[in-house]
Amino acid sequence: MKIYLFNTLSGKKELLVKPKGRPLRLFVCGPTVYDDPHIGNGRTYVFFDTLVKYLRSTGLKVFYLQNITDIDDKIIARAHAEKVSFSKIAETYLAVYFRDMKALGVTAVTKYARATKYIPQIQKQIEVLLKKGYAYEIAKDGIYYDVSKFRDYGKLSRRTTVQAESGVSRIDESIHKKNKADFALWKFGHTKAPMQIINGEPAWPSPWGLGRPGWHIEDTAITEYFFGPQYDIHGGAVDLKFPHHEAEIAQQEAASGKKPLVKIWMHGGFLTLEDQKMSKSLGNFMTIDQFLKNTSPEVFRLMTLSHHYRSPLNYTVKLNKEMKLKWLAILEFLAKAEVGAKSSLVKKSRVSNLAKFEKEFTLALADDFNTPAALGILFKFIGELQPKLWQLSRVEAKQILKKIRKTLKTLGFSFKFPQIPLKIKGLARERENLRKNQQFVQSDSLRKKANDLGFLIEDSPLGPFVWPKS
Ligand code: AMP
């Protein structure tokens, strides 16, 4: 099966060339660990987790590398605000990140690499850039990358160096920079307050004195260490395209003289909350932990994959409800198929066309990982089978169950079926006895009682099937 992925660099869908004799190398920018991860971060990481699980399911070996930004201005600022060390902040939020990823079922990452563990590699790359004339020093400030020296600067985000100057995201400020878009590779250690409060800002010895790395350099130092100067796929959300990913290209391609740094650049769309950018100060912010207090990780995954990864995803309470019901419908289908697989009375059946379903589903995923189309095909398949479920033989029910479970597992779903309380099960049994004795008024009243308690009792040829309404 040929897989096509959209490459931001070329602006086109491209064939994914499967490497021979080595795993596919994929890098995704990890979090800056200074705060609780929010559902926007969750969207991005669940998406890449699913992509890797899918690629592996096709037989590809994938080395999925993710960095952890555990040294950054934001971490230091929070440490100052809370009067604790930067490492305390980094450790606290790294633990929260791992906890939340585990809770979301994000398990595909091969290696998490913490920036502070790769300081020698970072320094080595800066030295090369200095030697080759791509970097310069500003006294008492740091080592900066000179974007005017790199002819290809802007090729990913399609900006010229001049336009690049309007970039705002985490741009390092210094009035002594040669170009406004120049960014810090290395920041010299500060000696003034507020560092005194926290026992000193983190600073590593380097050929240029004590200091710490800039934000962009950690990624290329880490990828060069694990993958070499060129690799297969780089991912992140769209906010990182500029300046972060542009800076990565400028650093690594200048340092190695080899291009392209990455064959395919993948950028995921942003998640907004009730039509607004997520912002703590505006009060519209939802952490992954808050989300999971009321909703399951499967619903989060379904919501993520029901949107094309390159499109925006607007989270609303209504969307949450819709996704909960959709997930419940999948589970209901599986639960009924399981009943059929165990005790159907039908001898032979050929109700479904599994081969057609599989073909369409696979094609949708191979076309730029079009998960909303693939899920649409799954829902159509389930929807058409739903009224005929009790006509399935045990063999066919088993085949369907196996296929749907495998399909969903490929996308990283696991299955937790709703518990039917003993009281409701008892009601259903009692009602069934009444029904058998033709006491329909009484049996109807028990069915209504179950309904009022939030459960539907459906009569099937194999007995009553009880299921929650929501
Ligand atoms: P950060 O910790 O801010 O570096 O973000 C971690 C990852 O989440 C990066 O890949 C970001 O691009 C991504 N990200 C941040 N905010 C959002 C959002 N609202 N929607 C989707 N992805 C996001």
Side-chain angles (χ1 to χ4, degrees):
M1 167 68 61
K2 286 186 171 165
I3 297 171
Y4 291 84
L5 294 172
F6 185 87
N7 184 1
T8 310
L9 192 61
S10 64
K12 287 191 298 228
K13 282 183 200 171
E14 288 179 18
L15 179 70
L16 175 68
V17 181
K18 298 174 185 175
K20 288 203 181 86
R22 62 162 177 86
L24 181 120
R25 292 167 180 151
L26 174 133
F27 174 75
V28 173
C29 291
T32 304
V33 280
Y34 74 103
D35 205 351
D36 291 336
H38 55 62
I39 54 174
N41 307 130
R43 177 196 185 183
T44 294
Y45 294 127
V46 164
F47 162 66
F48 282 106
D49 177 73
T50 318
L51 175 72
V52 171
K53 285 173 176 162
Y54 159 67
L55 292 175
R56 286 181 181 150
S57 79
T58 68
L60 252 181
K61 286 204 164 55
V62 182
F63 186 154
Y64 177 6
L65 177 65
Q66 200 179 102
N67 71 308
I68 301 284
T69 303
D70 60 351
I71 172 65
D72 182 78
D73 291 348
K74 291 182 183 181
I75 300 174
I76 293 171
R78 181 137 192 185
H80 289 162
E82 295 190 11
K83 298 190 171 43
V84 295
S85 70
F86 90 99
S87 55
K88 170 94 177 94
I89 295 294
E91 293 308 325
T92 303
Y93 291 103
L94 181 59
V96 173
Y97 176 68
F98 284 148
R99 179 200 70 191
D100 289 354
M101 289 304 109
K102 194 169 166 212
L104 285 177
V106 170
T107 53
V109 179
T110 314
K111 169 80 189 164
Y112 288 103
R114 298 177 60 158
T116 53
K117 299 264 188 287
Y118 297 88
I119 300 294
Q121 287 78 10
I122 290 170
Q123 292 182 355
K124 202 174 118 207
Q125 208 168 71
I126 297 172
E127 263 190 296
V128 174
L129 291 171
L130 277 167
K131 231 181 248 160
K132 287 192 164 187
Y134 287 98
Y136 61 94
E137 181 173 339
I138 299 178
K140 295 189 186 137
D141 184 335
I143 312 283
Y144 280 79
Y145 190 98
D146 182 348
V147 296
S148 68
K149 292 273 165 65
F150 186 68
R151 286 236 313 270
D152 279 351
Y153 194 76
K155 70 177 172 182
L156 181 71
S157 52
R158 292 177 181 73
R159 294 181 192 226
T160 60
T161 310
V162 178
Q163 282 171 322
E165 294 187 359
S166 63
V168 286
S169 163
R170 294 208 223 175
I171 286 275
D172 302 293
E173 290 307 340
S174 165
I175 50 162
H176 301 296
K177 288 198 301 189
K178 288 187 184 169
N179 311 283
K180 196 152 186 265
D182 291 354
F183 51 87
L185 298 166
W186 190 258
K187 302 180 178 201
F188 296 149
H190 299 279
T191 49
K192 288 192 185 135
M195 291 313 148
Q196 295 156 0
I197 306 167
I198 61 151
N199 246 350
E201 184 173 341
W204 288 265
S206 80
W208 328 285
L210 283 176
R212 60 190 165 87
W215 176 38
H216 314 298
I217 193 79
E218 68 177 79
D219 289 22
T220 46
I222 287 170
T223 54
E224 188 176 22
Y225 179 75
F226 284 98
F227 294 162
Q230 293 179 292
Y231 55 100
D232 301 298
I233 305 181
H234 188 315
V238 68
D239 60 320
L240 299 185
K241 203 191 300 179
F242 183 87
H244 187 49
H245 293 161
E246 205 68 70
E248 282 188 49
I249 292 175
Q251 288 165 173
Q252 187 62 67
E253 291 187 5
S256 70
K258 289 186 180 157
K259 63 182 179 180
L261 160 64
V262 169
K263 283 191 198 132
I264 296 184
W265 284 87
M266 293 183 74
H267 289 102
F270 240 42
L271 179 144
T272 46
L273 186 57
E274 303 284 353
D275 281 318
Q276 276 187 320
K277 191 170 182 242
M278 244 186 298
S279 149
K280 261 195 175 164
S281 53
L282 290 176
N284 60 321
F285 190 86
M286 189 183 286
T287 66
I288 293 169
D289 193 44
Q290 282 167 338
F291 179 94
L292 291 176
K293 288 239 154 59
N294 305 308
T295 320
S296 73
E298 285 74 36
V299 171
F300 190 85
R301 195 167 280 261
L302 187 65
M303 179 177 80
T304 298
L305 303 180
S306 296
H307 294 74
H308 194 278
Y309 75 90
R310 286 189 277 123
S311 305
L313 189 169
N314 184 36
Y315 177 80
T316 58
V317 174
K318 188 167 159 259
L319 179 68
N320 185 319
K321 271 193 197 145
E322 263 170 43
M323 291 298 142
K324 269 187 184 161
L325 287 177
K326 278 200 156 183
W327 182 244
L328 199 62
I330 292 179
L331 292 181
E332 180 181 351
F333 178 86
L334 291 174
K336 283 182 176 166
E338 238 164 54
V339 175
K342 268 190 208 131
S343 41
S344 171
L345 303 172
V346 179
K347 284 270 171 299
K348 256 190 177 173
S349 72
R350 198 172 178 326
V351 175
S352 60
N353 189 343
L354 268 179
K356 180 170 173 270
F357 160 72
E358 188 173 17
K359 190 172 169 212
E360 288 177 359
F361 190 87
T362 315
L363 276 175
L365 290 187
D367 178 17
D368 194 24
F369 203 49
N370 193 340
T371 54
L375 287 171
I377 290 158
L378 174 72
F379 276 109
K380 187 163 167 267
F381 181 75
I382 288 180
E384 283 170 2
L385 264 184
Q386 194 82 28
K388 304 179 207 154
L389 258 175
W390 307 119
Q391 298 164 23
L392 295 174
S393 66
R394 287 186 200 184
V395 173
E396 190 174 10
K398 264 187 208 148
Q399 284 168 344
I400 292 171
L401 255 182
K402 200 171 154 198
K403 180 66 66 197
I404 303 289
R405 277 182 174 273
K406 192 172 159 232
T407 303
L408 288 167
K409 270 193 188 152
T410 301
L411 297 179
F413 288 99
S414 51
F415 314 96
K416 237 195 238 146
F417 288 88
Q419 291 292 319
I420 312 293
L422 284 175
K423 183 178 167 186
I424 303 293
K425 282 185 185 162
L427 268 180
R429 261 196 312 273
E430 211 182 312
R431 173 183 169 270
E432 189 59 8
N433 288 335
L434 291 166
R435 223 168 61 90
K436 278 183 184 153
N437 292 330
Q438 318 239 328
Q439 292 171 277
F440 295 119
V441 177
Q442 293 90 328
S443 80
D444 277 354
S445 110
L446 289 192
R447 181 188 229 168
K448 187 175 177 309
K449 197 168 168 188
N451 188 65
D452 292 345
L453 291 168
F455 292 84
L456 292 170
I457 303 177
E458 182 184 331
D459 294 318
S460 89
L462 303 175
F465 180 83
V466 188
W467 198 250
K469 290 200 288 186
S470 61

